[in-house]
Amino acid sequence: MTDQPERIHLVEVAPRDGLQADPADLSTAQKVELIERLAAAGHTRIEAASFVSPRAVPKMADAAEVLAEVPRSSHVSYSALALNARGVERAVEAGVDEVCGVVVATETFSQANQRATVAESLQRWRDISDAARAAGAKTAVIVASAFGCPYEGRVDPAQVLDIVDELAQTQPDEIALADTIGVGVPNRVGDLFAGAAERAPGIALRGHFHNTRNTALANTAAAIDAGVRVFDTSVGGVGGCPFAPRATGNVATEDVVYLAHEMGYDTGLDLDALIETSQWLEGQLGHGVPSLVAKAGGFPQPRRPS
Ligand code: COA
Ligand code: ZN
């Protein structure tokens, strides 16, 4: 028996969740360079853009151009968000490998984000899933606001698990539970993922944490302990939802990579290259990024005191 470390898979979401609400307006060329750097750092799954209304999310208006220009290789799978029929049509036309949908756990935020009831967005997801599959793309779906809602406050886990039930019937490749507004804490995260695993047997679960209240890394560790092996992370920790008031960034890729490697897992990612990319991204955005590992560096190598 070999003693290979177990793999934790990271989906890099900076090009989509990271950039969709950032004050900076990156050009298509800058977005493509970001994606190239992320792939060079070892990322094999990159959420490249979202095919939503450009009026609702102007920063993603060039999604098709971004997908047309990114380097294609069998090592990198590109996903994109689609929230309606038009979105999945555009995503498939752009040649995405994976289509990711979103169902919000609460009615008020569902209206604010998607202009649809939860039931309507479940039906939209079923249609998106069928269209994506017919085109040979993988499918993943995010339950947003799974730990708390900016408008309704606390969310009953039973309500989230009922949505997981509905989603499991569409047999997606993955179901993500998202702490869109960063209110979750480790024990609740562990419990909800354990509940979801029972309701969606055989379907991979993915964690999506925002660091709004400084709990994202602790929540990631709790989800790892609960058996989750796939996480959405954003280089530098940039990001946030434009429709969630005071939203802040996703958990930083380099912070999660440091955590995972030191816990004994393999990610296939090069921490130094990610740190370099994070620093490069700061320069492109024209403002600092929240990641701590980008500032501190990885585990210190032995050296003489200066
Ligand atoms: N791609 C491009 N344009 C789209 C689109 C898509 N997928 N879906 C809708 N539109 C455009 C329509 O053409 C229409 O444009 P117009 O105002 O210039 O005529 C406008 O958006 C409204 O279209 P409608 O079909 O009435 O959609 P809607 O108002 O019910 O909006 C959403 C539904 C979900 C498509 C829209 O609210 C949206 O894209 N929201 C963004 C949500 C988001 O990205 N959140 C963050 C990530 S979770
Ligand atoms: Zn998010």
Side-chain angles (χ1 to χ4, degrees):
M1 230 182 94
T2 54
D3 212 8
Q4 291 284 345
E6 201 184 336
R7 176 64 71 104
I8 286 186
H9 303 269
L10 302 190
V11 180
E12 174 60 57
V13 300
R16 196 282 297 178
D17 211 359
L19 297 183
Q20 69 181 2
D22 194 276
D25 270 312
L26 295 198
S27 66
T28 303
Q30 285 172 304
K31 293 177 184 177
V32 171
E33 183 170 351
L34 171 61
I35 290 169
E36 286 169 347
R37 285 170 180 266
L38 294 167
H43 271 300
T44 54
R45 294 183 62 186
I46 300 176
E47 192 176 78
S50 61
F51 288 90
V52 297
S53 159
R55 200 193 285 263
V57 186
K59 314 255 176 192
M60 294 288 120
D62 61 348
E65 288 86 345
V66 170
L67 265 305
E69 288 176 31
V70 292
R72 300 291 179 142
S73 97
S74 55
H75 305 300
V76 184
S77 163
Y78 292 111
S79 67
L81 214 69
L83 302 177
N84 58 10
R86 173 93 190 276
V88 66
E89 201 178 292
R90 290 176 58 212
V92 162
E93 200 177 295
V96 303
D97 302 293
E98 176 184 318
V99 174
C100 185
V102 176
V103 172
V104 178
T106 56
E107 293 294 346
T108 320
F109 191 37
S110 183
Q111 284 295 344
N113 191 58
Q114 261 139 289
R115 296 192 208 221
T117 63
V118 174
E120 282 164 352
S121 72
L122 278 167
Q123 188 50 49
R124 283 186 195 174
W125 163 250
R126 290 183 196 104
D127 297 340
I128 290 167
S129 162
D130 288 346
R133 276 231 183 89
K138 290 195 163 195
T139 62
V141 58
I142 299 178
V143 185
S145 281
F147 298 90
C149 168
Y151 306 104
E152 296 180 27
R154 292 180 195 281
V155 176
D156 182 359
Q159 191 176 325
V160 176
L161 294 179
D162 286 347
I163 293 174
V164 169
D165 268 343
E166 297 280 342
L167 296 175
Q169 286 170 28
T170 68
Q171 286 292 308
D173 293 289
E174 253 165 30
I175 296 177
L177 300 182
D179 190 7
T180 310
I181 58 163
V183 288
V185 294
N187 57 335
R188 295 215 178 115
V189 165
D191 289 349
L192 197 64
F193 274 99
E198 276 176 25
R199 307 289 273 267
I203 298 173
L205 298 178
R206 187 167 104 203
H208 179 112
F209 299 113
H210 283 265
N211 199 35
T212 323
R213 290 170 182 78
N214 218 12
T215 58
L217 202 60
N219 291 342
T220 304
I224 292 172
D225 288 343
V228 179
R229 293 291 177 269
V230 194
F231 294 92
D232 287 343
T233 66
S234 162
V235 74
V238 293
C241 174
F243 305 99
R246 297 186 298 277
T248 47
N250 298 77
V251 65
T253 305
E254 54 272 36
D255 294 8
V256 173
V257 167
Y258 177 83
L259 177 88
H261 289 181
E262 290 304 317
M263 283 174 78
Y265 295 94
D266 170 34
T267 62
L269 289 160
D270 176 341
L271 182 58
D272 291 336
L274 288 168
I275 290 175
E276 225 179 281
T277 301
S278 183
Q279 290 164 349
W280 171 86
L281 184 58
E282 272 189 336
Q284 305 300 302
L285 297 174
H287 61 74
V289 299
S291 156
L292 290 178
V293 170
K295 298 175 189 76
F299 211 102
Q301 298 298 318
R303 60 176 180 143
R304 287 175 189 285
S306 49

